[in-house]
Amino acid sequence: MKRYFQLGEVFSYFIRVFKKRDPNNPDSFNLRMMHGINRISIIMFLICVIVMIVRALTR
């Protein structure tokens, strides 16, 4: 059960997506677009969480 709640890989992906490209890893157009879309969705999610927290605190 403990294995299902480990979030280390998830957080490492969030950090990795915002880093500059590693020249040792293969690069393709599809991979760059996927990381770009993931950056946008992570930023939108964080903005929405902040808005929800602010709304909850101001009620």
Side-chain angles (χ1 to χ4, degrees):
M1 191 68 159
K2 184 179 179 182
R3 182 177 60 131
Y4 292 114
F5 292 104
Q6 290 180 341
L7 299 175
E9 293 179 18
V10 175
F11 290 123
S12 68
Y13 176 75
F14 287 156
I15 301 300
R16 190 173 63 236
V17 121
F18 287 104
K19 284 187 176 179
K20 293 288 183 188
R21 187 177 67 86
D22 185 15
N24 297 330
N25 289 337
D27 189 28
S28 69
F29 178 76
N30 292 334
L31 187 63
R32 285 184 294 171
M33 290 298 110
M34 180 192 73
H35 285 301
I37 291 170
N38 286 346
R39 285 182 193 122
I40 293 169
S41 63
I42 290 169
I43 291 169
M44 287 178 60
F45 173 75
L46 292 175
I47 290 171
C48 290
V49 167
I50 291 169
V51 168
M52 290 173 61
I53 290 171
V54 169
R55 283 186 179 179
L57 294 175
T58 59
R59 286 190 176 202

